[in-house]
Structures are given as structure tokens and as C-alpha cells.
Amino acid sequence: MPNNRDAMDYRGLYLIVLVVHSVYGDVSYSIPEEMKRGSVIGNIAKDLGFTFRLSDRKARIDTEDDNDRYCSIDLTTGDLIVAKRMDRESLCAKKPSCVVQQELILENPLELHRISVRVNDINDNAPQFKEDLQKIEIGEQAVKGARFPLDEAHDADIAENAVQSYTLEPNEHFTLQVKTKGNGRKYGELVLHNELDREDKQEMTLLISAVDGGSPQRSGTVAIHVTVLDANDNAPVFSQAVYQASLPENSPVDTLVMTVRASDSDEGINGEIVYGFDHVSDEKGNAFSLNPTTGEIRVAGSIDYEKESSYELQISAKDGLGLGSYASLIIDIVDVNDNAPVIHQKSLSNPIPEDVLAGTEVGIINVQDRDSQNNRQVRCFIQENVPFKLIPSIKNYYSLVTTSTLDRELVSDYNITIRATDEGTPPLSSSKTIHLTVADVNDNPPMFDEPSYSAYVTENIKPGSTLCSVTAGDPDWRQNGTVVYSLLPGEVNSSPVSLYLSVNRDTGVIHTLKSFDYELFRSFKFQVMARDNGSPPLSSNVTVSVFITDVNDNTPQILYPTPEGDAFKSELVPMVTHGGSLVSKVIAVDGDSGQNAWLSYHIIKSTDPGLFSIGLHSGEIRTQRDISETDSMKQNLVVSVKDNGPSPLSATCVVYFLISDNLAEVAEFNHHPHEDSDSKVTFYLIIALVCISTFFLTFIVLMLSVRFCRSRKPRLLFDGAVAIPSAYLPPNYAEVDGMGTLRSAYNYDAYLTTGSRTSDFKFVESYNGNTMPADQTLRKSPTDFAEIFGDSEGTPEVSMTVTPLI
């Protein structure tokens, strides 16, 4: 075995540092084993691209499972330094790859980078044989070419630095042939080159050397003492070339692992077999024992899966005269959940201010479990109901963070018990208590008594009325607890909320500044802010929802029937119409909603009361019986449309029917020649000019008299004329029999002459937004309509609003 100085002479040849970055911030280095303590492995700060000082982030090197710390870091230069000598053989034994895992921990915020240090083998171990002298007894009857296996040499190094070949000192009887086992290890076999003669030479000594492939090469020698015997020509043979067994860790001493068997065809001493381990290290040899006579393998020491997960042993079986054979024994260790999780407090901010935001990291916890697979899986949680939680951060690290803001006035100290439980059977657990102190700050904002407020108000409420009130409390002292109220900016019906509402800054009472119109908007929301007088001031907001209830303030508006062209439109009813037939329909809408918009239809006057009926809610006009020859050709119905409000509002219309099967009569009834129309128009213009000139003063006096004396009784302003001003139609009709929304875009007045059969448009005038509302419309009673329509020769001039549907 070379000394350390010899081993260090090769480091200059093998010091090749490889740095590999991964997307997870990992870094890998490759170094030779046996580097001196304090040697620089690499500059990890530069390799990870850090631009900050490592001391500012409290950088440190940590390990998993509390393993040895082989590296340290220079916080000034960022160099990764060897802190402890790394011997690849003691770290990884015969494993082809030897990697030491270290972790770079950065705090505030928490950041973890894994460091993989690959320890490369150097040729610092020479091959060694189990014994300095091996004895072999060979019968003189052995024929030329007989083979005699030798114990292999062991080299703690691997790969090229391990045993590569054997050499035999020249002699006249034996040659050496190098063989390779299934695991890649090499051993030698003596091959009989010239037959032995016990009478000529009873004993001989052969010198065999084992050479590795390192540079420079190292070697070990063993002396083979050959005794020539008579007639032992059968070597023991194992029942299996490879034995496999499974053993739970922590198995007690003397537990039987398995029994190996070998047989020998010889008799007597030549057939007596002795079992033994073939070149087993002290660590592995102390774990198991082998009965040389029975072949029983039992537990002899501590079996720990965390230290060694499997064992591979070479077993020999030799007869009494030295002939032998070899077999492999592989023992797999089964993990048992025998390690409870261990909780390590890596960092802690103490005390913490009470105004920290939810999610603020206050500490770093590391949990380790030395078991494997499910036994290693750990659940970490906080037992108490405290405003903290553990968030898995990196691998087995957890961040202790706040789940809400803290209140020192309620709780000034916390004892946080963290419990970690693995998923083994049965599960093992451990706990750790962390004490945290809360530092006081001004953190109590005003709090409203309710999470939200609702107010219900009828439309057309008077300005200055109280809408509702909000109340907020603040547990702080003096000016920190004095609360003032204000409205937050917002919109109501596309207008600033401050145009509709105001709030008393001291009491929180909310007043209306304008009345509301249910037909424009039915609900709205706004926010009220409560602010204390602390420094800095704290505030909170609450949402107030206002719901406007409907008032029956819209009269039903009749959309059909309407006058068309130059005369009232008459519905044609054939003479053959049977009872129950649909002949027309009255269509009306109401700008209100709910029961205020439920419309009912009634016939209040008709030419023949028993001929027609109207649907109470549909407005459909149907015949009640078959039409007979005796029925009048012209039928008039006065229909009243009434809503269902507490104080019902109504409107009326006249529906005209013409009972006939002769289309010519209908055309004659509804249309007139242009020549008559022109002459009639000229005649009426002359009369109108004379009347205006003659009775101008009389007209003024009449107007004043009517307005003064009979202001509450609507009258027509012109003799022989019926004025039906256009009704006020809101921009949107809603909730009309579930039919959607009707929109009004234009209003027109049609003025018709008094001639019953020669009526034409005199002029058309468009109404704007100042159209007279419905409640100021001049109306005719049903008898007035009957008189007008009944006299076919004296039909008056009619002014009517025509509202197109868009």
C-alpha cells in the first residue's frame, strides 16, 4: 500500500474539473481522490452566474441525511474548497461511479443548488492477496493440462487501476492462465504443463504477481506452495454458481441467511469439504459468519440498509487436500422503517412584525429520513391552528410562511409544533417546537359591521331622503380608532356616484341627492371607504347594493291598431266567418315591470256587443258567433288596456271592422279619387284662410276661457277635429309578454281632413324628445269616437302619433 505522499504525486495528472449546469441550478465537478484539505475545487459563484456577494445571502454548504461535509465555501472569493479528505475506496468501494452530493443553501430568499462532486479514482492501492502464502496439494496423477484455480488478488481501486493481469515466475511444471469472473474480476489458474512426479519433487514454491493497470503500475505477490500428493483427483462442486438471498435489515445476530452446499466424489479426507469466505473485507466479513462444516451463513453483526443495501461474497469449498471450487453469494438487504424523520431548523426570523403579508417566509425547515422508498417519503405539517403553514420548497426543504396577517393585540407569541411523519409501516414521526414573537405595528384598519350592505328604495324617491347607513369600528386607540366615511369613485347609470348619493363623514348615513327611475336602471352598487386617522392611515371598503323597486308611473302604450295612410285602417271580416275565429289583435306595452306591466284588455263599447270578444291577457279579438246577413257592415270596438298596478293606469283605442266579401266595396270605403281630393283640399284651404282671418280674436278668447274655466276637463281645440297626441314611449320596452324589448326611434303626427272618404295627409311633422307625455294627452271618450266614426260624411281631422317598431 503506497503512502499518501505517493498518492498525491498523481493529483496533478488527474485534476480535471468539469462544470455542468442544469436547468435546476445544479452544478457538477470532477476531481481526483485524496486532494489535500483546502484545495480549490472550482469557483461556484462564477459557475452559477451569481452577481451578488455570497455573504449577503448567507450562503453555506449543507448535506443530506447529516452526512459528512466534504466541501466548504469561501464567502469572499466564491471558491468551493475541499474540507475533508475524500478517499474513493472508503466512500464508494467498488462502485463504478463515486459521487459526493453536497448542497449550496442561500437564504433570504431561500435558494438551493445541488453540487455533485465526482471523485475519480487514482492508483493509490496496490493489488493484495488474501494470504501471503497459499497452499495447494496436487496429486501426482494429475494429467497435463489440469487446472487449479488460485485466490484472486484484491485491489481497492477500480477500472484500469484495478487488477488487470497475473504473471507467474518461470518454472518447469506450471503455466498461468488469467480468467475473468462474471463480475469482471480477474483471477489466475495454474495449468499443469509437465506431469508431476512425487518421487522426483514432493514440494515446490511458485511466485505469482498481480499487476494493476495504473500509471505507474502497482503490483502484489503471493507465494504458492505446491505439495505433490497421491490420488485426489476430484475437487468439490457447489450446487449453484450463484446463491441469492434476501434479508431484512436489523435482523438479529445468528439469524440464518441460507445454507450453501458443495459435493466431492472423493472419499475419506479427500471428500471432506471445508467452507470459507474468499477474500472478504473486514466490514463485510464481520456482518456474516459461515460455518466451515455445514455451510450455514448467519448474521454475525449489525445489518443496516442505510449503510449497505446489498452484499456480494465469494465462498470457497475445499477438500482435505486443497482442491476447491468457488461460488458467489448475493444478499439483498430489505429496508425496514427504522429511522424516524429528523427536523432541522435551518433559519428563523424572530421576532416578526405583525404587518407581514400573507405568504411571507419566516423560516426554513429541513426534514431528513434515512430510510428508502415509501419509508423515506415524509409528510410535514403544523399541528396547532396557527396562522402559519409549511410550503414544500426544494427537495426536503420547507418554507415556514404566514397564511394571514398577524395581530399582536390578540396573540403576541406563537409556539409552532412541526410534526413530520413518514409513510412506512408502521409510520414513524418526530416533532419540533419553534417559538416566534410578534412585534407590534399599527395594523388595525376600520372594520365594517357587515361584509356588505343592501338597500331597497322605490323609484321617484325625494332627494335628501336617507338611503341607509354603514358602521365601521376600529380597535385601535385615539386617532387611530377615529373613523371617517367617504364614497369611493364609481358610476351610476354612466354618471358619477357623487351626483346621486352623499355620505355623512362622521355617522356613515347615506342620503340621496337625486331621485331614481326604475325604467332607466333597477340596481347599482357603490363602495364606501372607512379610514382611520393613524399614521399611515388605514382603511377598508364595503360594497352597498341598492335595489330600486318599481312604481306604477307608466301608462300602457297601444302599438296596434294605428292609423295608416289617409284614413283609419279597417279590418276586413268575411261574411263566412264562424264563431271563435281570430279577426284582429290589440298590441300594447307598458314601460313598468312586474305586476305593474301586466296588461288586461276589455271592450268597453261596441256596435254589436254580442258579436266580438277580446282575450283578457292576449288582446286577441275573436267572433263570438257566426256572422249573419243582418249584422251591420261597419263594426266599431272601443278597447281599454289596463295595467295591474296598485293604482291601475289605462289607455283606449278604437278598432274598425268592415264585414264584406266584396273587395270593391272595401276599396271604395278606404280609398278616394285624387281629383276629389284636390278639389276638396282647395276648398278647405280657402275656408280655413277666411276662418283664421275672421275668428282670430275669437279663437284667442276661446282659448283663454277654456284654459281658465275648464282646465281639468280635456277638450278639443278645434271644432270638428280629434287630436290624439303621440304618447310618451320610453327608450326601451321591457317585459312585454316575454317578447323581448321594443324600441322607439321616431314619432310622427298625421293630420287628416274632415272628409270621410277623401282624407289625405296634409303634412307630416316629426316629434322630438319634448313630445307631450302620456298623462297630458287630450283624450276622447268612447261616445266621442262612436259619434265621429258613425258619421261617414263628417269624419273629423285626426292628429295621431305613429310609432314605428324597430
Side-chain angles (χ1 to χ4, degrees), residues 546-806:
V546 179
F547 301 94
I548 304 170
T549 57
D550 186 39
V551 174
N552 191 24
D553 59 347
N554 287 282
T555 303
Q557 304 298 310
I558 298 174
L559 305 180
Y560 184 85
T562 58
E564 251 182 30
D566 55 358
F568 288 104
K569 181 179 180 181
S570 297
E571 301 284 351
L572 177 63
V573 180
M575 291 291 294
V576 294
T577 302
H578 297 290
S581 299
L582 176 67
V583 295
S584 186
K585 183 175 182 179
V586 177
I587 301 175
V589 296
D590 194 307
D592 296 317
S593 66
Q595 68 175 8
N596 293 332
W598 297 348
L599 301 180
S600 59
Y601 301 83
H602 308 273
I603 298 176
I604 59 177
K605 189 174 182 180
S606 64
T607 303
D608 186 347
L611 182 56
F612 296 100
S613 65
I614 190 168
L616 179 63
H617 299 294
S618 65
E620 294 179 348
I621 301 175
R622 297 178 181 271
T623 57
Q624 297 189 70
R625 57 176 174 80
D626 295 346
I627 296 177
S628 64
E629 296 288 344
T630 61
D631 291 327
S632 174
M633 181 179 179
K634 292 185 290 183
Q635 296 285 334
N636 308 331
L637 301 181
V638 179
V639 179
S640 173
V641 183
K642 183 187 299 183
D643 63 26
N644 197 38
S647 300
L649 301 177
S650 63
T652 58
C653 67
V654 180
V655 183
Y656 305 98
F657 293 108
L658 182 63
I659 301 175
S660 176
D661 288 330
N662 189 347
L663 295 178
E665 293 181 1
V666 178
E668 182 181 359
F669 182 80
N670 285 324
H671 300 283
H672 313 283
H674 288 286
E675 299 79 24
D676 294 344
S677 175
D678 292 341
S679 61
K680 294 269 186 180
V681 169
T682 303
F683 177 75
Y684 286 131
L685 286 176
I686 295 173
I687 293 176
L689 290 175
V690 174
C691 291
I692 291 174
S693 302
T694 305
F695 300 106
F696 176 77
L697 294 176
T698 304
F699 175 77
I700 297 300
V701 173
L702 179 62
M703 283 288 294
L704 294 176
S705 300
V706 171
R707 188 173 184 83
F708 179 76
C709 299
R710 305 178 67 179
S711 59
R712 297 186 180 180
K713 297 181 180 180
R715 294 184 59 184
L716 299 178
L717 301 183
F718 299 96
D719 291 340
V722 178
I724 306 177
S726 62
Y728 171 77
L729 297 180
N732 296 294
Y733 286 110
E735 301 183 7
V736 182
D737 295 333
M739 302 281 296
T741 301
L742 300 176
R743 299 183 177 271
S744 173
Y746 302 98
N747 295 329
Y748 299 93
D749 277 357
Y751 292 85
L752 308 180
T753 62
T754 57
S756 62
R757 306 176 65 86
T758 60
S759 298
D760 286 327
F761 278 109
K762 292 177 64 177
F763 61 90
V764 177
E765 181 180 346
S766 171
Y767 272 90
N768 56 20
N770 297 322
T771 303
M772 184 181 298
D775 57 358
Q776 299 180 19
T777 301
L778 298 180
R779 305 171 184 265
K780 275 285 187 177
S781 66
T783 56
D784 295 333
F785 282 108
E787 293 175 0
I788 297 170
F789 190 73
D791 186 6
S792 60
E793 297 299 326
T795 302
E797 178 182 347
V798 177
S799 172
M800 180 168 289
T801 300
V802 180
T803 304
L805 298 181
I806 297 177

Side-chain angles (χ1 to χ4, degrees), residues 318-394:
K318 295 183 179 180
D319 59 20
L321 297 179
L323 294 180
S325 63
Y326 301 90
S328 297
L329 171 62
I330 299 175
I331 303 175
D332 294 322
I333 307 302
V334 179
D335 184 37
V336 175
N337 191 26
D338 58 344
N339 291 283
V342 180
I343 302 172
H344 302 280
Q345 175 184 315
K346 294 298 184 179
S347 66
L348 185 67
S349 299
N350 196 15
I352 56 174
E354 62 175 331
D355 62 345
V356 294
L357 299 176
T360 301
E361 182 182 87
V362 298
I364 300 173
I365 305 299
N366 178 258
V367 183
Q368 300 286 347
D369 193 312
R370 299 179 61 225
D371 294 317
S372 64
Q373 298 180 354
N374 288 342
N375 297 332
R376 186 184 180 90
Q377 301 299 319
V378 177
R379 293 180 294 106
C380 195
F381 56 92
I382 296 176
Q383 288 184 295
E384 295 88 352
N385 185 18
V386 293
F388 299 92
K389 67 178 180 179
L390 291 174
I391 298 178
S393 181
I394 304 171

Side-chain angles (χ1 to χ4, degrees), residues 383-502:
Q383 288 184 295
E384 295 88 352
N385 185 18
V386 293
F388 299 92
K389 67 178 180 179
L390 291 174
I391 298 178
S393 181
I394 304 171
K395 200 176 179 181
N396 50 357
Y397 282 86
Y398 293 83
S399 295
L400 179 64
V401 300
T402 58
T403 58
S404 63
T405 55
L406 307 177
D407 192 343
R408 187 180 180 276
E409 287 72 27
L410 296 178
V411 181
S412 59
D413 294 275
Y414 291 94
N415 287 318
I416 305 171
T417 301
I418 299 174
R419 189 172 185 83
T421 303
D422 61 27
E423 296 185 1
T425 304
L428 300 178
S429 61
S430 60
S431 61
K432 185 179 183 66
T433 300
I434 297 176
H435 179 78
L436 274 177
T437 302
V438 182
D440 185 40
V441 294
N442 179 28
D443 64 337
N444 289 293
M447 298 297 296
F448 285 93
D449 295 344
E450 301 290 340
S452 63
Y453 292 85
S454 299
Y456 297 85
V457 60
T458 59
E459 65 175 327
N460 303 327
I461 188 174
K462 293 182 179 180
S465 301
T466 298
L467 182 66
C468 65
S469 63
V470 296
T471 306
D474 194 318
D476 292 327
W477 284 75
R478 296 177 183 174
Q479 74 267 17
N480 292 334
T482 303
V483 180
V484 293
Y485 304 90
S486 61
L487 291 177
L488 289 178
E491 288 189 352
V492 176
N493 196 29
S494 301
S495 299
V497 68
S498 58
L499 295 180
Y500 286 86
L501 304 170
S502 67

